[in-house]
Amino acid sequence: MDAAALWQRYQDWLYYHEGLEFYLDISRMRFDDSFVAAMQPKLDKAFKEMDALEKGAIANPDENRMVGHYWLRNPELAPTPEIKQEIIETVEQIEAFVSKIHSGEIHPPDARKFTDIISIGIGGSALGPEFVAEALAPDNAPLDIHFIDNSDPAGIDRLFSKLKDRLYRTLVIVISKSGGTPEPRNGMIEVQNAYAKQNLNFSAHAVAVTGTGSKLYNVATSENWLATFPMPDWVGGRTSELSAVGFVPAALQGIDIREMLAGAKEMDIATRKPDLKTNPAALLALAWYFAGNGRGEKDMVVLPYKDSLLLFSRYLQQLVMESLGKEKDLDGNIVYQGIAVYGNKGSTDQHAYVQQLREGVPNFFMTFIEVLEDRQGSSVEIDPGVTSGDYLSGFLQGTRQALYEKKRDSITVTIPQVNPRTVGALIALYERAVGFYGFMVNINAYHQPGVEAGKKAAAEILDLQKKVMEVLKENASLSLSEIAEKAGQPDQVEAIYKLLRHLSNNDRGVILQGNLAQPSSLKASLQG
């Protein structure tokens, strides 16, 4: 395609939202008019399904749940007066609580004000708050935030080492819908132990974001924690950033949550339009479908050209992959759907994996995230008439062109600056695009059976560990196969070996003797 034709294609497919000053360019995805025409029935179906979803249809039949994260930014759309009131009151309660924290009206027992936050969560309860903190927290935030988003003891110790002199003035947010998810529960117990070691009253520092009546809710209320905020049943973890899950930590950092809601609401309005060219989420879903033939045959590489958006690709990784990575479609057919997502930031990645993207395996499509504002204030000239921001913009445009010359497709999303309004809009855009794509390929984008299977398998391993330790308490020295037989798990020798190796390396009383290069030769016993 020559330059004039490409310029015309750019204009034909450019989407612009005046209120948000938001651009979406899919012109470098090389679909043609016949593809768009053939996709129209799928798009029409997706428009109808999304409309039903917002009106309260059961979109997650596995759990008999509605999917209502769209109501969070426009309570008027909620299907019942009770849900509408809960949404409105939750935001008001968050703002009132945060105001008291910032003023010192609510303060730790031994300090005038809280100065730090530990946010404990997993998946969407961590990735959303982490992304927003990186993108939007002011330089002199009222409270500095730290995250526990894993069960890694060394990582937790590193955080405690960093905060040991400030733990007495640190607020702890525990985020878990059920209260039974292992990672946040483990993190909470670790933090409770750290507070106990310093003779601090954990309850006087603790806040819960959880489902009403959950295990965590019952603990928080019975122990008189500072506050408890609801995580509704109809909000999934990966779409929870614009609920209390994201807003409690964001507001505490001084981030304007009302502006985030306003940006999301405006994008929601745009993405409800049942017309392809005036609906940016439908345009994105169409581009994803084209890139991977509706089967996820190509990876989505997300490249934001702004340091503050570094974690956007991690956030999208969960949103897209957990939503779309499904074995079966809604009719029970095995389809193996999904789109792999990865990325870091520009222009760093131009000196990393872009070499392969341009000249290696063409198994991807690119999403550039462009921010028009370089910085607040003027910039020094690096070269005559050229600033560092000019270079960054040039790197983006140059990489886009270099990829297109090699027949590598790309999408470009452009926002005026990184602020609460535009971040809220980006979150809403991708939430809707994921929903559209899910309906277009006939899968349930709102459940996660693979995640639940992993949790179940982990629980089984820990149950096996208990059985193994009981066997060792009753026997002096046994081979791995003998332990497996006595534990009633003859097919689990490898799992037992790995359990014992882990326990032995962490001073848990297990002794392994024999040739470590030949695990079957090992004998296990307990110390003393």
Side-chain angles (χ1 to χ4, degrees):
M1 189 176 291
D2 63 26
L6 204 53
W7 168 233
Q8 187 58 52
R9 179 175 173 81
Y10 174 78
Q11 295 176 82
D12 290 343
W13 285 101
L14 180 66
Y15 171 85
Y16 177 66
H17 190 291
E18 186 174 0
L20 293 166
E21 300 176 71
F22 167 91
Y23 299 81
L24 173 63
D25 165 29
I26 64 168
S27 67
R28 268 41 175 192
M29 304 295 292
R30 289 165 295 134
F31 57 83
D32 57 22
D33 291 344
S34 63
F35 170 78
V36 177
M39 290 299 297
Q40 197 59 52
K42 290 184 183 294
L43 287 165
D44 291 341
K45 174 180 178 288
F47 288 132
K48 290 176 183 176
E49 296 280 8
M50 289 300 298
D51 184 57
L53 185 83
E54 284 199 314
K55 289 177 179 174
I58 299 298
N60 192 345
D62 291 5
E63 299 167 314
N64 196 35
R65 287 179 180 172
M66 297 182 291
V67 175
H69 49 273
Y70 301 107
W71 311 329
L72 295 167
R73 41 266 201 174
N74 189 351
E76 296 298 327
L77 297 176
T80 69
E82 292 78 16
I83 291 176
K84 172 185 172 181
Q85 197 60 28
E86 179 185 354
I87 294 167
I88 293 170
E89 288 178 356
T90 297
V91 175
E92 292 173 346
Q93 289 164 4
I94 290 169
E95 290 176 326
F97 175 75
V98 168
S99 176
K100 291 176 181 178
I101 292 289
H102 287 171
S103 69
E105 183 178 342
I106 296 177
H107 59 86
D110 301 318
R112 289 178 53 251
K113 286 186 177 183
F114 287 103
T115 59
D116 292 85
I117 306 163
I118 296 175
S119 183
I120 304 170
I122 191 71
S125 298
L127 291 168
E130 287 173 4
F131 159 54
V132 167
E134 182 77 18
L136 298 176
D139 291 339
N140 298 304
L143 290 90
D144 293 328
I145 195 162
H146 317 271
F147 294 94
I148 294 178
D149 61 358
N150 199 5
S151 278
D152 176 12
I156 294 170
D157 285 347
R158 192 176 304 118
L159 175 56
F160 290 151
S161 178
K162 185 177 181 180
L163 281 174
K164 67 179 179 182
D165 295 332
R166 307 200 299 275
L167 208 59
Y168 72 98
R169 45 189 169 95
T170 296
L171 186 70
V172 182
I173 309 170
V174 184
I175 308 172
S176 175
K177 181 186 284 188
S178 68
T181 304
E183 293 92 340
R185 185 206 60 182
N186 298 351
M188 179 183 75
I189 293 170
E190 290 270 5
V191 174
Q192 286 175 322
N193 181 62
Y195 274 72
K197 284 182 177 179
Q198 293 193 20
N199 294 316
L200 298 171
N201 177 9
F202 176 77
S203 297
H205 298 75
V207 174
V209 179
T210 188
T212 302
S214 72
K215 294 177 184 177
L216 177 58
Y217 176 89
N218 293 334
V219 168
T221 52
S222 66
E223 295 180 359
N224 198 30
W225 288 16
L226 290 175
T228 303
F229 298 99
M231 187 175 181
D233 187 56
W234 38 264
V235 174
R238 57 189 174 278
T239 55
S240 64
E241 177 52 32
L242 300 181
S243 72
V245 168
F247 279 171
V248 172
L252 286 165
Q253 293 169 85
I255 296 168
D256 191 336
I257 60 175
R258 294 280 182 178
E259 274 294 285
M260 290 183 71
L261 285 171
K265 181 179 180 180
E266 213 163 339
M267 183 59 78
D268 282 343
I269 292 169
T271 57
R272 283 191 194 103
K273 295 179 180 178
D275 172 67
L276 174 63
K277 285 204 170 183
T278 59
N279 185 320
L283 288 168
L284 269 183
L286 177 81
W288 296 354
Y289 194 104
F290 170 77
N293 293 320
R295 295 295 302 271
E297 293 172 3
K298 292 189 176 181
D299 301 341
M300 183 192 305
V301 180
V302 180
L303 204 58
Y305 276 68
K306 209 66 174 177
D307 287 356
S308 60
L309 296 180
L310 169 67
L311 297 182
F312 190 47
S313 57
R314 279 187 67 205
Y315 169 78
L316 288 182
Q317 195 171 61
Q318 185 199 12
L319 176 64
V320 174
M321 295 180 72
E322 190 167 278
S323 298
L324 302 182
K326 302 294 158 65
E327 179 184 20
K328 296 179 180 179
D329 67 12
L330 289 169
D331 300 318
N333 302 309
I334 293 178
V335 292
Y336 298 123
Q337 275 289 354
I339 301 175
V341 180
Y342 65 93
N344 183 29
K345 68 177 180 181
S347 63
T348 299
D349 289 356
Q350 289 177 212
H351 297 269
Y353 55 74
V354 168
Q355 165 64 30
Q356 176 171 313
L357 299 187
R358 187 170 190 270
E359 299 188 6
V361 184
N363 61 344
F364 73 96
F365 64 98
M366 181 74 85
T367 299
F368 294 101
I369 311 292
E370 177 183 29
V371 181
L372 294 177
E373 181 185 80
D374 291 339
R375 60 155 51 103
Q376 293 186 357
S378 59
S379 291
V380 64
E381 291 187 359
I382 304 297
D383 296 318
V386 179
T387 68
S388 56
D390 297 339
Y391 267 106
L392 190 65
S393 178
F395 292 146
L396 187 158
Q397 303 305 330
T399 302
R400 174 176 175 268
Q401 179 61 25
L403 291 174
Y404 187 75
E405 288 172 356
K406 288 288 188 175
K407 294 183 168 44
R408 270 67 166 167
D409 289 347
S410 69
I411 298 164
T412 303
V413 173
T414 303
I415 58 176
Q417 60 180 195
V418 179
N419 60 40
R421 189 179 185 85
T422 57
V423 167
L426 283 175
I427 290 170
L429 171 67
Y430 277 89
E431 285 178 350
R432 182 87 60 166
V434 160
F436 269 127
Y437 186 90
F439 287 127
M440 288 167 69
V441 299
N442 196 38
I443 60 163
N444 182 353
Y446 301 102
H447 70 160
Q448 49 283 334
V451 176
E452 300 308 317
K455 291 179 183 178
K456 182 181 177 183
E460 290 172 353
I461 289 292
L462 293 174
D463 184 60
L464 177 61
Q465 179 175 310
K466 292 177 183 177
K467 292 177 180 176
V468 167
M469 292 302 286
E470 288 300 319
V471 168
L472 289 178
K473 286 177 184 176
E474 297 170 1
N475 297 273
S477 180
L478 296 172
S479 69
L480 299 179
S481 58
E482 288 171 336
I483 295 170
E485 288 289 341
K486 289 183 179 295
Q489 303 288 330
D491 297 330
Q492 296 296 317
V493 179
E494 182 177 331
I496 290 169
Y497 159 66
K498 290 183 176 179
L499 284 171
L500 293 171
R501 184 179 62 179
H502 171 78
L503 294 170
S504 176
N505 277 273
N506 285 277
D507 299 325
R508 301 285 295 282
V510 172
I511 299 171
L512 287 176
Q513 292 179 311
N515 186 347
L516 294 176
Q518 295 180 344
S520 61
S521 74
L522 297 175
K523 293 255 185 183
S525 60
L526 293 182
Q527 287 178 343

